[in-house]
Each structure stands twice: as structure tokens, then as C-alpha cells.
Amino acid sequence: MHSTTTRTSLTLESAIGETSFEASVGWLHHEGDLEALLHGQGAFPPTDVPRTGAPFSTNRYQASASAERWLTLLGSHHLRAGIDAEALSFAHATSPLDTGASVPGPEVRTRGSVLGAYVQDSWRVPLRYSPDLNVGVRYDAQRILLPDRGPSLRVGEQVSPRLELTFPTLIPWFDMRFFARYGSTVSVLPLSLAERASGSPSALVAPTSRDFHLGFRYLADIPSHFALTYLHRKLDAPVEGLLRTPVARARERRYEALSLVFQQEDTGNHGLRFYLSYTRSSLTERGTGRVRTPVLQHTLDGGWLPFLDAAVSDRPDSIKLYVRRDLPFLDSWDPSLSLSYIGESGAWMEGAPSRLPWVHTIDASVAFLYRIEYTGRITLGLDVSNILNLQAVTRTDALGAPFEYQPPRQLRLQARYDF
């Protein structure tokens, strides 16, 4: 895929008395060309079949406004409220695979809009051992106008409550924080899925999530902390199951995770940052219809291969490690080096005798920072992803054949000037 991206935004900050305001507008444009094969996507290209283009473009217009204020009423309150709106469009030429022609067909355009609003209050009660209360509510709504200019679809409308309790130190000489959180969210539906469901609009279901988070955090004398957390998440209509028949029940997924985290940051001259976590999780799912094939392919009679169902692929063990260290100065340059490691147990696929092997990924980054007095700074850097170029199988289809591997080693050079 060949693509270019253009982004621009404007932000205004102001204050009236003790109330501060912020407003912003932005535009994001993305266009490109998908290289497609005339004989069908997903297969190896024969030498005698030419390639053709499939141009596409997306536009995202955004506007938002927010306000916040501190006040005192039976304790201190931090009030926040805001509203944001988006106008979306997704356009692409009809694929030659759908029209049977040798060149892309006419343009198809899908439009949508998203509206969100929220209000939130952080209340600190002036009583000893009383918890801090964080409460709020958010409203989200999305509309989609299908390519055939039919009636607009109203999907993803939801009122999402959010509540958090943070308990102060209950044990002398130990700086601990206990917390409990509950919240729900609704996700934006991709416009490309709306096209595929235009013949059956009732098949569109926006993903919604409900989370319950419980844990405690211990703060040491140095800038470091240890945390133990438990997360329970219920996800309705995950992205893989959005396209369903009107009579099919929306899919439901449950995720449970217990995490241990140790994090440290050196405030001295060494500039050392360290992060280590281990997570034990469980992922279950109800329903059918998950798509495991990477693409859809034409059959010999011009039809489509059927969707293949498979069980959810969970990774019960996960280890994350991150280390960053400032290096000695080189003249006026300030260098730093960072390493990260992610290890995940292999996924289990339906019909497989055992889990897939563990997946290990090691990344590295080196950066050189040069500050220009009164002007800005220059950053030169090199990022290396998957240094060892490991190629473990990360997913298989419902038949057990691998179709997804770790991304290969990638290098990225950075030259940046901030002013």
C-alpha cells in the first residue's frame, strides 16, 4: 500500500476568572493506493497477471471544546466538562475484483458523524481516611450514511457512567493507595464495515466495553512504585464479530487479568527508567462467526469462499520489560538508549493439539538530543523493532494453517526539529 497523510490542527486556550477553556479544530486526510491482483486477493501473484490500483481516501474533521474549574464545597472539587464532534468520510474506487473489469470502477463514498459529551467531578472529601471520589458520565452517538444514499444508520448511542474510589494510606509508615474503578465505553464503527452490511443494516452493532478495575499501589521513598491490579472486562460485539446476520446474537467476550507491576525512575544524574510487569489473564467468548481468514477469495464460479469460524485466541501469560538510560554527553548532544522486551504465551486455536509457541519481541532505540537556546531542539534517532528478526506463528485459521507471523525486523531513522 502506498499512502500519504496530512494533518493540521488549531487550539485556543483561555480563562475567565477561575474557569479555564480550551477549543480545537482539526483535519486529517489520508489517501493512498491499494495494490490488488486481478485473479483474487490473498494468493501468490503469477508472473503473467498485471497489477492494478485501488485508490482510496479518508477525511476526518474534528472540533472540540472543554472547560474546567476548581471550587470548594464540602471539600475540593475539580469539575470538567466537554463536547467533541467529528465528520468522517471514506471513499474508494470499486475494486476490479468486484466488477470483473481490468481497471477500478466508479468511486464509492461512505459518510458518518460522531458526537460525544462528558461531565466529570473529582471530589476530595476533607475527612481522615475518607476516599477520594471521581464520578462522571459520557454520552456518545454515531450516525452512518450508506453509499446508496439510503436512510442514515444510528449506531453506537450510549450513556456511559464512570466511577472511581481512591482510598488514602490506611497503614502507618506505608504509603499505599487502594482504588476501585468502574466504567463503560462505546467504540466508533469503521465506515468500511457499513458498506459490507448495507444490504442488512441491522447487522451493525457497535462494540461496547464495561470494565471493573481493583488494586493497590505502594510508593517507596525513591520515585518507584509497586502495584497489584485486577481487571474484569466485558466486551459486547468485538470488532471481529461486528458483521452478523440480523437474527444472530451479538458476540460477548470476557477478559480477566491479574497484573504485578514494578516501576522505577531515577531522579539523579543517571536518568534511569525501569518497568517490569507480569500479567496472568483469561479470555473467553460466547457466540460464533469469528473470521480467521486474512482475506476473502473468489471461487472458480465467481462466488466467495465462506467465512471460517474459530475459537477466541487468548494469551494467558505476558511479560513486559522496559529500560531507558541516559548516556554520557557527547559535546552538546544528549544521548539515550532504551530497550524493551515483550514475551507472550502462544495462542490456542480451535482444533490444535496444543498452544502455539511463545512469542518474544525485543526492540531498541537510540536518540541524540541537541538543545538550541531560545529556539528549540534537534532530535536524531534510530529505532529497531524485532532486533532478532524472530518469525513465530502468531495466529492460524480455523483449519490450523498459519497465516500470521511476527512482523519482520524494521528500522526507522528519525530527524526532527522542534521550535
Side-chain angles (χ1 to χ4, degrees), residues 56-111:
F56 71 92
S57 66
T58 61
N59 285 284
R60 185 177 184 179
Y61 304 92
Q62 297 175 295
S64 64
S66 62
E68 61 178 303
R69 179 175 180 175
W70 291 88
L71 58 87
T72 301
L73 179 62
L74 299 178
S76 62
H77 294 262
H78 185 193
L79 298 175
R80 283 168 286 188
I83 186 172
D84 50 80
E86 296 183 5
L88 314 169
S89 70
F90 171 65
H92 66 92
T94 306
S95 171
L97 302 177
D98 299 328
T99 61
S102 58
V103 296
E107 183 181 77
V108 176
R109 183 180 297 272
T110 306
R111 296 178 177 86

Tab-separated table of all heavy atoms in Angstrom, residues 56-111:
chain	number	residue	atom	x	y	z
A	56	PHE	N	-7.924	5.047	-2.645
A	56	PHE	CA	-8.861	5.316	-1.568
A	56	PHE	C	-8.455	6.626	-0.899
A	56	PHE	O	-7.328	7.105	-1.042
A	56	PHE	CB	-8.864	4.182	-0.538
A	56	PHE	CG	-7.608	4.122	0.286
A	56	PHE	CD1	-7.516	4.779	1.497
A	56	PHE	CD2	-6.507	3.403	-0.173
A	56	PHE	CE1	-6.353	4.723	2.247
A	56	PHE	CE2	-5.345	3.347	0.575
A	56	PHE	CZ	-5.273	4.012	1.782
A	57	SER	N	-9.388	7.202	-0.125
A	57	SER	CA	-9.101	8.416	0.647
A	57	SER	C	-10.033	8.472	1.843
A	57	SER	O	-11.172	8.009	1.790
A	57	SER	CB	-9.263	9.672	-0.216
A	57	SER	OG	-10.615	9.839	-0.595
A	58	THR	N	-9.533	9.045	2.936
A	58	THR	CA	-10.344	9.263	4.130
A	58	THR	C	-10.143	10.700	4.597
A	58	THR	O	-9.057	11.264	4.470
A	58	THR	CB	-9.949	8.301	5.262
A	58	THR	OG1	-8.578	8.533	5.612
A	58	THR	CG2	-10.123	6.858	4.826
A	59	ASN	N	-11.204	11.273	5.145
A	59	ASN	CA	-11.159	12.615	5.717
A	59	ASN	C	-11.823	12.583	7.080
A	59	ASN	O	-12.867	11.938	7.268
A	59	ASN	CB	-11.874	13.629	4.816
A	59	ASN	CG	-11.054	13.988	3.594
A	59	ASN	OD1	-10.091	14.744	3.686
A	59	ASN	ND2	-11.424	13.411	2.453
A	60	ARG	N	-11.203	13.284	8.024
A	60	ARG	CA	-11.726	13.334	9.383
A	60	ARG	C	-11.648	14.777	9.870
A	60	ARG	O	-10.556	15.310	10.071
A	60	ARG	CB	-10.910	12.412	10.276
A	60	ARG	CG	-11.424	12.275	11.691
A	60	ARG	CD	-10.576	11.266	12.455
A	60	ARG	NE	-11.079	11.016	13.787
A	60	ARG	CZ	-10.539	10.161	14.645
A	60	ARG	NH1	-9.463	9.484	14.282
A	60	ARG	NH2	-11.056	9.988	15.836
A	61	TYR	N	-12.802	15.409	10.043
A	61	TYR	CA	-12.881	16.770	10.547
A	61	TYR	C	-13.305	16.715	12.013
A	61	TYR	O	-14.309	16.076	12.341
A	61	TYR	CB	-13.872	17.589	9.730
A	61	TYR	CG	-13.570	17.620	8.260
A	61	TYR	CD1	-14.130	16.684	7.389
A	61	TYR	CD2	-12.712	18.579	7.724
A	61	TYR	CE1	-13.850	16.704	6.027
A	61	TYR	CE2	-12.432	18.609	6.361
A	61	TYR	CZ	-13.002	17.665	5.527
A	61	TYR	OH	-12.712	17.675	4.180
A	62	GLN	N	-12.569	17.392	12.876
A	62	GLN	CA	-12.815	17.318	14.312
A	62	GLN	C	-12.958	18.714	14.906
A	62	GLN	O	-12.296	19.657	14.467
A	62	GLN	CB	-11.663	16.594	15.018
A	62	GLN	CG	-11.492	15.147	14.603
A	62	GLN	CD	-10.262	14.535	15.244
A	62	GLN	OE1	-9.140	14.949	14.974
A	62	GLN	NE2	-10.469	13.560	16.107
A	63	ALA	N	-13.795	18.815	15.918
A	63	ALA	CA	-13.945	20.053	16.694
A	63	ALA	C	-14.291	19.659	18.121
A	63	ALA	O	-15.074	18.729	18.349
A	63	ALA	CB	-15.038	20.951	16.110
A	64	SER	N	-13.698	20.353	19.080
A	64	SER	CA	-13.952	20.029	20.478
A	64	SER	C	-13.833	21.287	21.321
A	64	SER	O	-13.158	22.251	20.946
A	64	SER	CB	-12.978	18.965	20.990
A	64	SER	OG	-11.650	19.444	20.979
A	65	ALA	N	-14.486	21.251	22.476
A	65	ALA	CA	-14.416	22.344	23.437
A	65	ALA	C	-14.543	21.747	24.825
A	65	ALA	O	-15.313	20.805	25.048
A	65	ALA	CB	-15.529	23.364	23.194
A	66	SER	N	-13.769	22.299	25.774
A	66	SER	CA	-13.796	21.789	27.143
A	66	SER	C	-13.572	22.940	28.119
A	66	SER	O	-13.011	23.984	27.769
A	66	SER	CB	-12.735	20.705	27.347
A	66	SER	OG	-11.436	21.234	27.150
A	67	ALA	N	-14.004	22.711	29.353
A	67	ALA	CA	-13.843	23.699	30.419
A	67	ALA	C	-13.592	22.963	31.719
A	67	ALA	O	-14.080	21.842	31.920
A	67	ALA	CB	-15.080	24.589	30.538
A	68	GLU	N	-12.827	23.592	32.612
A	68	GLU	CA	-12.581	23.002	33.921
A	68	GLU	C	-12.433	24.103	34.961
A	68	GLU	O	-12.031	25.228	34.649
A	68	GLU	CB	-11.344	22.117	33.900
A	68	GLU	CG	-10.053	22.805	33.536
A	68	GLU	CD	-8.883	21.833	33.592
A	68	GLU	OE1	-8.663	21.232	34.660
A	68	GLU	OE2	-8.205	21.661	32.555
A	69	ARG	N	-12.761	23.724	36.199
A	69	ARG	CA	-12.728	24.713	37.279
A	69	ARG	C	-12.554	24.011	38.616
A	69	ARG	O	-13.096	22.930	38.837
A	69	ARG	CB	-14.016	25.537	37.295
A	69	ARG	CG	-14.055	26.571	38.414
A	69	ARG	CD	-15.273	27.450	38.335
A	69	ARG	NE	-15.292	28.446	39.415
A	69	ARG	CZ	-16.195	29.394	39.527
A	69	ARG	NH1	-17.160	29.486	38.620
A	69	ARG	NH2	-16.148	30.253	40.533
A	70	TRP	N	-11.791	24.658	39.500
A	70	TRP	CA	-11.634	24.204	40.869
A	70	TRP	C	-12.568	25.019	41.761
A	70	TRP	O	-12.689	26.236	41.601
A	70	TRP	CB	-10.201	24.386	41.349
A	70	TRP	CG	-9.210	23.474	40.699
A	70	TRP	CD1	-8.531	23.685	39.542
A	70	TRP	CD2	-8.794	22.204	41.188
A	70	TRP	NE1	-7.703	22.626	39.257
A	70	TRP	CE2	-7.842	21.691	40.264
A	70	TRP	CE3	-9.109	21.435	42.314
A	70	TRP	CZ2	-7.225	20.464	40.429
A	70	TRP	CZ3	-8.490	20.212	42.479
A	70	TRP	CH2	-7.569	19.733	41.555
A	71	LEU	N	-13.224	24.342	42.702
A	71	LEU	CA	-14.056	25.054	43.663
A	71	LEU	C	-14.080	24.281	44.977
A	71	LEU	O	-13.718	23.107	45.040
A	71	LEU	CB	-15.472	25.273	43.130
A	71	LEU	CG	-16.309	24.046	42.734
A	71	LEU	CD1	-17.062	23.481	43.925
A	71	LEU	CD2	-17.294	24.437	41.636
A	72	THR	N	-14.539	24.954	46.029
A	72	THR	CA	-14.581	24.368	47.363
A	72	THR	C	-16.027	24.295	47.842
A	72	THR	O	-16.719	25.316	47.926
A	72	THR	CB	-13.747	25.209	48.349
A	72	THR	OG1	-12.402	25.275	47.882
A	72	THR	CG2	-13.770	24.580	49.729
A	73	LEU	N	-16.489	23.082	48.127
A	73	LEU	CA	-17.830	22.855	48.635
A	73	LEU	C	-17.837	21.493	49.326
A	73	LEU	O	-17.844	20.454	48.660
A	73	LEU	CB	-18.864	22.892	47.499
A	73	LEU	CG	-20.311	22.632	47.923
A	73	LEU	CD1	-20.787	23.710	48.899
A	73	LEU	CD2	-21.219	22.553	46.700
A	74	LEU	N	-17.779	21.504	50.659
A	74	LEU	CA	-17.628	20.257	51.422
A	74	LEU	C	-16.409	19.498	50.945
A	74	LEU	O	-16.426	18.291	50.726
A	74	LEU	CB	-18.888	19.386	51.291
A	74	LEU	CG	-20.190	19.994	51.806
A	74	LEU	CD1	-21.349	19.045	51.555
A	74	LEU	CD2	-20.080	20.326	53.296
A	75	GLY	N	-15.323	20.221	50.765
A	75	GLY	CA	-14.115	19.648	50.207
A	75	GLY	C	-13.770	20.333	48.903
A	75	GLY	O	-14.442	21.262	48.462
A	76	SER	N	-12.703	19.868	48.267
A	76	SER	CA	-12.292	20.458	46.985
A	76	SER	C	-12.856	19.652	45.825
A	76	SER	O	-12.901	18.418	45.861
A	76	SER	CB	-10.767	20.506	46.891
A	76	SER	OG	-10.213	19.208	46.932
A	77	HIS	N	-13.281	20.364	44.794
A	77	HIS	CA	-13.845	19.749	43.591
A	77	HIS	C	-13.046	20.214	42.378
A	77	HIS	O	-12.667	21.389	42.281
A	77	HIS	CB	-15.304	20.143	43.406
A	77	HIS	CG	-16.221	19.612	44.468
A	77	HIS	ND1	-16.974	18.478	44.299
A	77	HIS	CD2	-16.477	20.068	45.722
A	77	HIS	CE1	-17.683	18.269	45.400
A	77	HIS	NE2	-17.399	19.229	46.283
A	78	HIS	N	-12.839	19.300	41.470
A	78	HIS	CA	-12.250	19.634	40.180
A	78	HIS	C	-13.268	19.241	39.117
A	78	HIS	O	-13.417	18.065	38.761
A	78	HIS	CB	-10.931	18.883	39.968
A	78	HIS	CG	-10.218	19.275	38.723
A	78	HIS	ND1	-9.155	18.554	38.187
A	78	HIS	CD2	-10.395	20.324	37.865
A	78	HIS	CE1	-8.733	19.131	37.094
A	78	HIS	NE2	-9.474	20.208	36.874
A	79	LEU	N	-13.991	20.212	38.602
A	79	LEU	CA	-15.060	19.983	37.634
A	79	LEU	C	-14.518	20.101	36.215
A	79	LEU	O	-13.774	21.031	35.898
A	79	LEU	CB	-16.192	20.986	37.842
A	79	LEU	CG	-16.910	20.936	39.196
A	79	LEU	CD1	-17.920	22.074	39.282
A	79	LEU	CD2	-17.583	19.588	39.398
A	80	ARG	N	-14.921	19.152	35.376
A	80	ARG	CA	-14.531	19.170	33.969
A	80	ARG	C	-15.731	18.792	33.104
A	80	ARG	O	-16.503	17.899	33.474
A	80	ARG	CB	-13.379	18.202	33.715
A	80	ARG	CG	-12.027	18.715	34.177
A	80	ARG	CD	-10.985	17.622	34.169
A	80	ARG	NE	-11.199	16.697	35.283
A	80	ARG	CZ	-10.352	15.725	35.619
A	80	ARG	NH1	-9.257	15.549	34.908
A	80	ARG	NH2	-10.601	14.933	36.642
A	81	ALA	N	-15.853	19.450	31.967
A	81	ALA	CA	-16.930	19.153	31.028
A	81	ALA	C	-16.441	19.465	29.620
A	81	ALA	O	-15.573	20.321	29.424
A	81	ALA	CB	-18.187	19.957	31.346
A	82	GLY	N	-16.986	18.747	28.661
A	82	GLY	CA	-16.543	18.967	27.290
A	82	GLY	C	-17.483	18.351	26.286
A	82	GLY	O	-18.358	17.546	26.624
A	83	ILE	N	-17.301	18.734	25.037
A	83	ILE	CA	-18.061	18.206	23.913
A	83	ILE	C	-17.125	18.101	22.720
A	83	ILE	O	-16.253	18.957	22.527
A	83	ILE	CB	-19.288	19.096	23.596
A	83	ILE	CG1	-20.142	18.448	22.506
A	83	ILE	CG2	-18.857	20.503	23.217
A	83	ILE	CD1	-21.466	19.173	22.283
A	84	ASP	N	-17.288	17.047	21.932
A	84	ASP	CA	-16.476	16.876	20.729
A	84	ASP	C	-17.327	16.283	19.623
A	84	ASP	O	-18.268	15.522	19.881
A	84	ASP	CB	-15.256	15.977	21.011
A	84	ASP	CG	-15.640	14.680	21.701
A	84	ASP	OD1	-16.098	13.757	21.009
A	84	ASP	OD2	-15.470	14.592	22.932
A	85	ALA	N	-17.004	16.660	18.402
A	85	ALA	CA	-17.756	16.216	17.234
A	85	ALA	C	-16.793	15.891	16.105
A	85	ALA	O	-15.727	16.506	15.985
A	85	ALA	CB	-18.761	17.285	16.787
A	86	GLU	N	-17.181	14.927	15.276
A	86	GLU	CA	-16.372	14.521	14.133
A	86	GLU	C	-17.270	14.293	12.927
A	86	GLU	O	-18.402	13.833	13.062
A	86	GLU	CB	-15.595	13.234	14.425
A	86	GLU	CG	-14.575	13.334	15.531
A	86	GLU	CD	-13.804	12.037	15.708
A	86	GLU	OE1	-14.020	11.115	14.891
A	86	GLU	OE2	-13.008	11.937	16.658
A	87	ALA	N	-16.740	14.624	11.764
A	87	ALA	CA	-17.366	14.292	10.488
A	87	ALA	C	-16.381	13.427	9.711
A	87	ALA	O	-15.226	13.826	9.510
A	87	ALA	CB	-17.724	15.548	9.694
A	88	LEU	N	-16.816	12.245	9.305
A	88	LEU	CA	-15.930	11.261	8.682
A	88	LEU	C	-16.406	10.947	7.274
A	88	LEU	O	-17.598	10.988	6.970
A	88	LEU	CB	-15.908	9.963	9.508
A	88	LEU	CG	-15.742	10.109	11.022
A	88	LEU	CD1	-16.010	8.777	11.705
A	88	LEU	CD2	-14.346	10.587	11.341
A	89	SER	N	-15.458	10.604	6.413
A	89	SER	CA	-15.792	10.130	5.068
A	89	SER	C	-14.729	9.131	4.619
A	89	SER	O	-13.543	9.299	4.916
A	89	SER	CB	-15.888	11.285	4.070
A	89	SER	OG	-14.621	11.839	3.815
A	90	PHE	N	-15.185	8.110	3.924
A	90	PHE	CA	-14.297	7.083	3.395
A	90	PHE	C	-14.708	6.826	1.952
A	90	PHE	O	-15.853	6.463	1.676
A	90	PHE	CB	-14.392	5.796	4.219
A	90	PHE	CG	-13.668	4.625	3.624
A	90	PHE	CD1	-12.290	4.649	3.494
A	90	PHE	CD2	-14.359	3.513	3.190
A	90	PHE	CE1	-11.603	3.562	2.943
A	90	PHE	CE2	-13.697	2.425	2.635
A	90	PHE	CZ	-12.315	2.458	2.516
A	91	ALA	N	-13.788	7.052	1.018
A	91	ALA	CA	-14.076	6.904	-0.404
A	91	ALA	C	-13.039	5.992	-1.028
A	91	ALA	O	-11.853	6.019	-0.671
A	91	ALA	CB	-14.074	8.258	-1.106
A	92	HIS	N	-13.481	5.175	-1.970
A	92	HIS	CA	-12.568	4.283	-2.690
A	92	HIS	C	-13.188	3.918	-4.025
A	92	HIS	O	-14.417	3.969	-4.209
A	92	HIS	CB	-12.285	3.017	-1.870
A	92	HIS	CG	-13.499	2.145	-1.683
A	92	HIS	ND1	-13.824	1.122	-2.539
A	92	HIS	CD2	-14.474	2.166	-0.735
A	92	HIS	CE1	-14.937	0.532	-2.141
A	92	HIS	NE2	-15.350	1.156	-1.037
A	93	ALA	N	-12.334	3.564	-4.948
A	93	ALA	CA	-12.804	3.107	-6.247
A	93	ALA	C	-13.239	1.654	-6.137
A	93	ALA	O	-12.684	0.873	-5.364
A	93	ALA	CB	-11.700	3.252	-7.289
A	94	THR	N	-14.266	1.300	-6.917
A	94	THR	CA	-14.734	-0.074	-6.924
A	94	THR	C	-13.614	-0.992	-7.386
A	94	THR	O	-12.951	-0.731	-8.382
A	94	THR	CB	-15.950	-0.230	-7.837
A	94	THR	OG1	-16.939	0.716	-7.446
A	94	THR	CG2	-16.519	-1.629	-7.757
A	95	SER	N	-13.383	-2.058	-6.642
A	95	SER	CA	-12.285	-2.965	-6.957
A	95	SER	C	-12.539	-3.701	-8.256
A	95	SER	O	-13.670	-4.087	-8.556
A	95	SER	CB	-12.101	-3.967	-5.819
A	95	SER	OG	-11.182	-4.971	-6.181
A	96	PRO	N	-11.503	-3.908	-9.069
A	96	PRO	CA	-11.668	-4.713	-10.284
A	96	PRO	C	-12.139	-6.121	-9.972
A	96	PRO	O	-12.773	-6.768	-10.804
A	96	PRO	CB	-10.267	-4.714	-10.900
A	96	PRO	CG	-9.581	-3.545	-10.308
A	96	PRO	CD	-10.143	-3.388	-8.939
A	97	LEU	N	-11.868	-6.623	-8.777
A	97	LEU	CA	-12.298	-7.968	-8.418
A	97	LEU	C	-13.815	-8.048	-8.306
A	97	LEU	O	-14.401	-9.103	-8.490
A	97	LEU	CB	-11.653	-8.382	-7.095
A	97	LEU	CG	-10.129	-8.364	-7.074
A	97	LEU	CD1	-9.632	-8.717	-5.682
A	97	LEU	CD2	-9.575	-9.331	-8.089
A	98	ASP	N	-14.451	-6.933	-7.963
A	98	ASP	CA	-15.907	-6.915	-7.833
A	98	ASP	C	-16.608	-6.645	-9.157
A	98	ASP	O	-17.725	-7.090	-9.369
A	98	ASP	CB	-16.328	-5.861	-6.811
A	98	ASP	CG	-15.764	-6.151	-5.428
A	98	ASP	OD1	-15.608	-7.338	-5.107
A	98	ASP	OD2	-15.487	-5.187	-4.683
A	99	THR	N	-15.974	-5.878	-10.043
A	99	THR	CA	-16.618	-5.505	-11.302
A	99	THR	C	-16.246	-6.422	-12.450
A	99	THR	O	-16.919	-6.434	-13.471
A	99	THR	CB	-16.227	-4.068	-11.672
A	99	THR	OG1	-14.805	-4.001	-11.848
A	99	THR	CG2	-16.626	-3.102	-10.556
A	100	GLY	N	-15.163	-7.180	-12.325
A	100	GLY	CA	-14.699	-8.016	-13.421
A	100	GLY	C	-13.957	-7.243	-14.488
A	100	GLY	O	-13.569	-7.804	-15.509
A	101	ALA	N	-13.751	-5.951	-14.291
A	101	ALA	CA	-13.043	-5.134	-15.264
A	101	ALA	C	-11.547	-5.165	-14.968
A	101	ALA	O	-11.089	-5.689	-13.961
A	101	ALA	CB	-13.572	-3.704	-15.234
A	102	SER	N	-10.775	-4.570	-15.860
A	102	SER	CA	-9.323	-4.530	-15.694
A	102	SER	C	-8.846	-3.264	-15.019
A	102	SER	O	-7.672	-3.134	-14.721
A	102	SER	CB	-8.639	-4.660	-17.066
A	102	SER	OG	-9.082	-3.616	-17.924
A	103	VAL	N	-9.766	-2.322	-14.775
A	103	VAL	CA	-9.407	-1.063	-14.117
A	103	VAL	C	-10.412	-0.813	-13.006
A	103	VAL	O	-11.524	-1.341	-13.024
A	103	VAL	CB	-9.407	0.115	-15.117
A	103	VAL	CG1	-8.328	-0.074	-16.176
A	103	VAL	CG2	-10.778	0.266	-15.782
A	104	PRO	N	-10.055	-0.001	-12.020
A	104	PRO	CA	-11.006	0.309	-10.944
A	104	PRO	C	-12.262	0.971	-11.467
A	104	PRO	O	-12.248	1.730	-12.430
A	104	PRO	CB	-10.211	1.254	-10.039
A	104	PRO	CG	-8.784	0.946	-10.327
A	104	PRO	CD	-8.727	0.585	-11.773
A	105	GLY	N	-13.393	0.692	-10.809
A	105	GLY	CA	-14.668	1.237	-11.193
A	105	GLY	C	-14.934	2.588	-10.570
A	105	GLY	O	-14.022	3.247	-10.068
A	106	PRO	N	-16.194	3.040	-10.561
A	106	PRO	CA	-16.532	4.355	-10.013
A	106	PRO	C	-16.307	4.411	-8.511
A	106	PRO	O	-16.232	3.395	-7.823
A	106	PRO	CB	-18.015	4.512	-10.373
A	106	PRO	CG	-18.509	3.111	-10.553
A	106	PRO	CD	-17.369	2.343	-11.115
A	107	GLU	N	-16.242	5.647	-8.006
A	107	GLU	CA	-15.947	5.850	-6.592
A	107	GLU	C	-17.181	5.579	-5.737
A	107	GLU	O	-18.302	5.905	-6.114
A	107	GLU	CB	-15.470	7.283	-6.376
A	107	GLU	CG	-15.071	7.574	-4.928
A	107	GLU	CD	-14.636	9.002	-4.734
A	107	GLU	OE1	-15.517	9.885	-4.679
A	107	GLU	OE2	-13.420	9.232	-4.658
A	108	VAL	N	-16.943	4.962	-4.596
A	108	VAL	CA	-17.977	4.708	-3.594
A	108	VAL	C	-17.587	5.475	-2.334
A	108	VAL	O	-16.453	5.375	-1.871
A	108	VAL	CB	-18.109	3.205	-3.296
A	108	VAL	CG1	-19.133	2.984	-2.186
A	108	VAL	CG2	-18.485	2.438	-4.547
A	109	ARG	N	-18.533	6.247	-1.782
A	109	ARG	CA	-18.221	7.080	-0.624
A	109	ARG	C	-19.223	6.809	0.504
A	109	ARG	O	-20.426	6.794	0.288
A	109	ARG	CB	-18.269	8.567	-1.004
A	109	ARG	CG	-17.871	9.513	0.142
A	109	ARG	CD	-17.949	10.961	-0.315
A	109	ARG	NE	-17.006	11.225	-1.386
A	109	ARG	CZ	-15.740	11.598	-1.212
A	109	ARG	NH1	-15.278	11.754	0.024
A	109	ARG	NH2	-14.947	11.816	-2.244
A	110	THR	N	-18.680	6.590	1.710
A	110	THR	CA	-19.481	6.395	2.918
A	110	THR	C	-19.173	7.526	3.887
A	110	THR	O	-18.005	7.868	4.083
A	110	THR	CB	-19.170	5.041	3.571
A	110	THR	OG1	-19.336	4.000	2.617
A	110	THR	CG2	-20.092	4.793	4.752
A	111	ARG	N	-20.213	8.094	4.492
A	111	ARG	CA	-20.039	9.219	5.409
A	111	ARG	C	-20.571	8.854	6.790
A	111	ARG	O	-21.433	7.982	6.927
A	111	ARG	CB	-20.748	10.470	4.875
A	111	ARG	CG	-20.192	10.993	3.566
A	111	ARG	CD	-20.988	12.193	3.084
A	111	ARG	NE	-20.454	12.778	1.869
A	111	ARG	CZ	-20.761	12.371	0.643
A	111	ARG	NH1	-21.622	11.365	0.488
A	111	ARG	NH2	-20.225	12.943	-0.416
